[in-house]
Amino acid sequence: MKHVIPWLPLLSTAVISLLGCNEGLAQSQSDAKGVDEAGDKEGEKVQLVISRWAGSHADDQAAILGEFEKATGIHVRMDAIDYGQLRQKQMLNMGGKTGAYDLVFAQEVWIPEYVSSGYLHALNDYLSNPALTGKDFDFADFEQSLIQTDTIDSKLYGLPTFVQTPLVVFNKDVFGRLGAQTPKTWDDTLSIASKLHQNGTGIALPAKEGLAAVDVWIALARSNNGGYFDSAGKLNLVTPENIATCQFWKDLVAVSMRGSTNWHFDDVNKAVQFGQAPYGITISGLAGQLEDPKESKVAGKIGYAPLPFKQRPFGTLSVWSWCVTADSKHPKEAFRLAAWLTSKQVEKAMGLKNGQVCARKSVLADPDLVNKAPYLPAITESLENADTEPRDKNSPKLMDAMQAALSRIAAGGGDPKSELESVQQQLSNDFK
Amino acid sequence: MLSNASKSRHDGDLLAVVLIAPAAAVVIAAMLLPLVYAFTMSLFDFRPGFETQGKFLFLQNYLRFFQDKIALQSLLLTLVFTFSALLLELLLGVGFSILLLTVPVWVAKVLRGVYCIPLLISPIIVGLIWRYMYDPTFGIVYFIAKQVGCDQFFGGLQQPGWSMLCVVLADVWETTPFVMLCATAGLAAIPGDLYEAARIDGAGWWNRFLRITFPSLRKVLVVVLIIRGTDAFRVFDIIYALTNGGPANSTLSLSIYAFKKGFEQYEMGYAMAISIIMMVVLSLLFGPFLRRSRIRA
């Protein structure tokens, strides 16, 4: 017995710890499900949980959600977290079938994987139900290229809402003094940037080793009839068109503002916003900052244009969509919220509030919005011929390799052809 | 049948086990289990959220590391960063702490407080501060470089060769105060009599430093070397904020490479293998110092 007694505290500690673990697990599971169970118990009240990235856009959206709650009696809780952790958290919840999220804000490149993993609910059956969509829903008003982005095997898995596309911005006063017109082609761009560079500035480029540079590069390459893949869908980087695009990128960096090789879109935007850069390539989501008289030294002086092209205009687009999760206990209500969030009225309100670019043609052409956001026509023009980055499961590897290659070309004096050959060789096993 | 003496020894052993058990449980739960988990998962190919659907690769992820040019390059860059940062921090930290002994006490106290401000700032914020300081358009570094006529020569964060130097300098700015504080504590423990006797014997400044200060500081410096060396080898946040590993992968540390593999390219198994390799390299680099410090203690 004496031998047993000293072990008792250890045993009891272990038992208590195990019980504690179980209790903790049970608690976390009930936290995840609790929302819906509470709704079920009361029989009337439904609570939806939506997952998205945090920031001023989320704050504006949270403020507007009260109207939905008032109109429908459905309570909505927003789980807004850092963008860097968003996908992982969404996947962990949907993969674990916790039912914690009813509606997730997903980027177009995530959707194929979500669909193949069975995480999302197809929306086709709900689209024709006015009780869920609202009577002014007007599905045809969505930019059809964006609807296609969210469609897999003829099934729609998301309602597009937040569109991003790279955009050329320029100071109209400086361009006027230079006698320069709105740049459209590669030659225009290089010629104006060279003149500005001789005067001590240049074009501000997002040439930092990152996705921004790749987004701009692929749009330029596609405008030159290039791209990542050949017509058979095989990785084919070493083409004359792609090499020419890399050379153009290298030439452009040579006449860019100092600092460009360590700038992302937000750095370019700041340089333009504070009047240092007269010319640059930024992203549509940041253009609103340039027109805010309280924050911008150049409000009202900026001109906007789609990215320059070689053979045909082309842009890169990224779109965020609202997707109903497969494990949602309230898929109809979740869709109802998605339809409300992407309705014309709400999209217009969000556009007026923070300059958001939505996926609805009528809203992008709305005179009130265009007055407030003079960059909208350029964005609409850019979206007419635009495509996303590839959505293959190996795309992150391709993006990463291209980021490093473009950075070597821009900052390290790398040879365009050798760099493309290096990426092609590096990824040949991943894209057979 | 056990004698009374051996019985009591046996009970004493049990009591020792019981007393150590909580600490051992914490070590197992907080340190060993995650390590075992990381090693186990490094033998698989899996994506975040798909742990149960992983493909067993055995040691393939480890073999891949030694065939991966970027991984080997980032290992080399990490070593370059670690040694250059550590060398500068030790030289400056010990140098400052000795210099502060030569000024009036109240001045030394004020200066020590001022020098320690960077320690209070999070590394990611240090990275962001220096990123703007290094910016050719807004930054003070380029402004100063322009005043002394070398702004065209200075490549800052934009050129591969210069970017590593810039990152090292930012890290040195942040962590030298830690070395200085440790060295100051070590210096305070040296009896003044030793210096007095050396002076009487006619020893100069350099001789006093070589024969009294440096040997007395050796134990402190070994501890600093281990703490700062392991920190520097695992560097992540300051580089992430300053360059994200660029330009042209010229500041890509192993931690950043593992992060990119795991959370941007979703190769979690490979990312874990890189982390385990990092731990092994760290043990090889700093293990001997740890052993040495323990024996001497």
Side-chain angles (χ1 to χ4, degrees):
Chain A
M1 188 64 187
K2 269 184 187 176
H3 290 191
V4 175
I5 288 167
W7 288 100
L8 277 177
L10 189 64
L11 277 172
S12 39
T13 309
V15 171
I16 289 166
S17 306
L18 281 172
L19 285 173
C21 284
N22 277 341
E23 206 175 326
L25 192 66
Q27 182 63 44
S28 69
Q29 281 172 346
S30 80
D31 280 350
K33 292 178 181 172
V35 171
D36 299 318
E37 282 171 2
D40 289 342
K41 271 178 200 166
E42 288 177 27
E44 300 161 352
K45 281 189 182 175
V46 171
Q47 179 167 345
L48 299 174
V49 183
I50 65 178
S51 159
R52 60 156 298 156
W53 36 263
S56 60
H57 186 264
D59 298 340
D60 289 340
Q61 202 157 49
I64 224 166
L65 278 172
E67 291 174 28
F68 176 79
E69 292 179 322
K70 214 182 204 177
T72 61
I74 297 171
H75 183 62
V76 183
R77 186 167 71 79
M78 181 186 282
D79 182 24
I81 64 163
D82 177 60
Y83 166 76
Q85 275 79 50
L86 184 66
R87 186 182 191 208
Q88 197 185 358
K89 192 169 180 191
Q90 288 182 354
M91 283 174 74
L92 286 172
N93 275 293
M94 294 187 295
K97 296 194 177 5
T98 62
Y101 294 139
D102 300 285
L103 204 57
V104 291
F105 204 35
Q107 204 172 359
E108 82 287 340
V109 286
W110 304 352
I111 291 178
E113 185 173 7
Y114 283 8
V115 171
S116 67
S117 304
Y119 294 164
L120 300 183
H121 200 298
L123 307 178
N124 302 56
D125 293 343
Y126 299 150
L127 286 171
S128 51
N129 184 348
L132 299 178
T133 60
K135 49 186 176 180
D136 298 328
F137 185 61
D138 189 9
F139 184 66
D141 187 39
F142 282 97
E143 191 69 59
Q144 285 310 296
S145 61
L146 301 175
I147 290 294
Q148 285 312 310
T149 305
D150 288 348
T151 304
I152 294 172
D153 294 335
S154 308
K155 287 182 181 168
L156 182 71
Y157 286 95
L159 292 179
T161 176
F162 185 88
V163 182
Q164 294 267 59
T165 185
L167 206 59
V168 168
V169 291
F170 56 92
N171 188 312
K172 288 186 279 191
D173 291 350
V174 178
F175 269 45
R177 284 197 293 274
L178 213 63
Q181 300 295 313
T182 302
K184 289 186 175 171
T185 63
W186 288 11
D187 293 341
D188 297 343
T189 306
L190 210 50
S191 154
I192 297 169
S194 301
K195 282 182 192 165
L196 290 168
H197 196 251
Q198 282 163 12
N199 295 341
T201 54
I203 183 168
L205 291 177
K208 182 178 183 172
E209 185 170 339
L211 203 53
V214 184
D215 282 351
V216 174
W217 180 84
I218 188 59
L220 296 172
R222 283 166 174 163
S223 86
N224 192 28
N225 295 328
Y228 299 117
F229 307 102
D230 61 17
S231 52
K234 286 191 172 174
L235 187 70
N236 187 23
L237 292 171
V238 195
T239 63
E241 292 80 12
N242 288 348
I243 294 169
T245 310
C246 285
Q247 188 57 52
F248 172 66
W249 183 245
K250 190 175 184 173
D251 295 343
L252 206 54
V253 170
V255 290
S256 67
M257 281 189 72
R258 284 194 83 183
S260 284
T261 51
N262 199 41
W263 280 352
H264 201 272
F265 283 128
D266 50 347
D267 303 294
V268 170
N269 213 65
K270 275 196 182 68
V272 176
Q273 190 180 346
F274 296 123
Q276 266 102 0
Y279 189 18
I281 295 179
T282 185
I283 189 114
S284 56
L286 298 174
Q289 294 173 5
L290 302 177
E291 295 299 333
D292 182 349
K294 286 180 195 159
E295 292 187 6
S296 172
K297 284 188 177 177
V298 291
K301 294 179 184 174
I302 296 295
Y304 301 90
L307 286 178
F309 63 90
K310 183 71 178 172
Q311 316 264 4
R312 56 182 178 142
F314 217 99
T316 303
L317 71 88
S318 165
V319 58
W320 288 81
S321 303
W322 286 113
C323 306
V324 177
T325 61
D327 57 343
S328 168
K329 302 281 191 302
H330 308 288
K332 284 184 182 172
E333 289 82 354
F335 174 78
R336 194 174 170 190
L337 174 58
W340 184 83
L341 284 166
T342 55
S343 64
K344 290 175 194 172
Q345 299 88 322
V346 173
E347 293 288 27
K348 184 177 172 180
M350 285 296 286
L352 287 169
K353 225 170 182 181
N354 58 31
Q356 173 195 309
V357 178
C358 70
R360 283 188 172 273
K361 289 180 274 191
S362 66
V363 178
L364 288 175
D366 187 286
D368 294 342
L369 267 176
V370 174
N371 271 342
K372 191 176 184 291
Y375 42 84
L376 284 181
I379 292 171
T380 312
E381 197 181 332
S382 183
L383 293 179
E384 278 168 14
N385 294 293
D387 200 357
T388 61
E389 289 284 7
R391 301 191 291 159
D392 182 275
K393 72 180 168 76
N394 284 316
S395 293
K397 286 184 192 173
L398 176 59
M399 296 298 103
D400 192 65
M402 285 304 297
Q403 287 170 30
L406 289 174
S407 180
R408 281 193 292 273
I409 289 170
D415 171 57
K417 191 178 175 203
S418 316
E419 292 300 340
L420 289 173
E421 281 171 348
S422 157
V423 178
Q424 177 79 33
Q425 196 182 354
Q426 191 184 327
L427 300 174
S428 54
N429 287 334
D430 295 307
F431 292 92
K432 280 181 179 171
Chain B
M1 192 170 176
L2 290 169
S3 68
N4 279 346
S6 68
K7 237 184 179 179
S8 117
R9 195 166 59 240
H10 191 68
D11 286 350
D13 288 349
L14 278 178
L15 184 64
V17 168
V18 170
L19 291 174
I20 291 169
V26 169
V27 169
I28 290 170
M31 293 166 76
L32 289 181
L33 285 183
L35 204 60
V36 170
Y37 175 77
F39 178 72
T40 311
M41 296 314 284
S42 74
L43 307 177
F44 288 83
D45 174 23
F46 70 99
R47 298 162 77 82
F50 291 88
E51 285 78 4
T52 52
Q53 296 165 31
K55 186 179 158 194
F56 184 65
L57 299 176
F58 192 43
L59 296 175
Q60 217 167 303
N61 279 331
Y62 291 89
L63 294 176
R64 181 181 161 190
F65 179 88
F66 294 101
Q67 292 160 352
D68 181 346
K69 282 182 192 164
I70 301 172
L72 294 175
Q73 185 201 345
S74 60
L75 172 61
L76 181 69
L77 288 169
T78 308
L79 290 170
V80 168
F81 174 85
T82 305
F83 288 117
S84 41
L86 205 53
L87 183 70
L88 282 173
E89 284 157 15
L90 284 173
L91 284 175
L92 291 173
V94 174
F96 281 145
S97 61
I98 292 173
L99 275 178
L100 288 179
L101 290 179
T102 63
V103 298
V105 176
W106 72 269
V107 177
K109 277 185 180 171
V110 171
L111 287 179
R112 216 170 276 132
V114 173
Y115 291 161
C116 287
I117 290 173
L119 266 186
L120 308 176
I121 307 171
S122 137
I124 197 94
I125 304 297
V126 171
L128 291 174
I129 291 171
W130 279 85
R131 188 171 147 194
Y132 279 92
M133 282 172 61
Y134 281 131
D135 191 290
T137 312
F138 313 101
I140 193 166
V141 175
Y142 272 87
F143 176 77
I144 294 168
K146 199 173 180 181
Q147 302 306 309
V148 296
C150 62
D151 62 317
Q152 293 301 319
F153 167 71
F154 179 60
L157 296 173
Q158 285 82 54
Q159 286 178 19
W162 285 95
S163 54
M164 179 55 92
L165 176 70
C166 292
V167 170
V168 168
L169 289 180
D171 187 72
V172 167
W173 179 81
E174 194 205 359
T175 49
T176 297
F178 169 74
V179 181
M180 188 190 72
L181 283 182
C182 294
T184 304
L187 287 173
I190 303 174
D193 303 355
L194 288 177
Y195 289 109
E196 193 60 36
R199 260 192 219 104
I200 292 167
D201 289 343
W205 181 88
W206 180 242
N207 263 329
R208 289 202 302 274
F209 174 77
L210 267 190
R211 296 182 191 280
I212 302 173
T213 312
F214 186 67
S216 310
L217 273 183
R218 213 155 49 186
K219 281 182 192 169
V220 175
L221 291 183
V222 167
V223 174
V224 169
L225 196 78
I226 293 167
I227 296 174
R228 270 305 305 145
T230 49
D231 265 357
F233 192 81
R234 291 175 295 149
V235 62
F236 178 85
D237 23 25
I238 199 163
I239 295 185
Y240 188 73
L242 270 172
T243 61
N244 194 22
N249 285 343
S250 60
T251 56
L252 187 70
S253 71
L254 267 183
S255 298
I256 295 211
Y257 188 57
F259 174 82
K260 284 188 171 187
K261 282 287 167 195
F263 294 102
E264 289 180 9
Q265 297 177 35
Y266 311 116
E267 295 184 81
M268 289 301 284
Y270 187 44
M272 286 190 177
I274 296 172
S275 306
I276 297 282
I277 289 170
M278 275 181 74
M279 196 191 69
V280 172
V281 175
L282 263 178
S283 309
L284 292 175
L285 284 176
F286 297 102
F289 290 107
L290 202 62
R291 212 164 143 242
R292 199 179 164 88
S293 70
R294 196 184 62 212
I295 289 165
R296 297 208 166 194

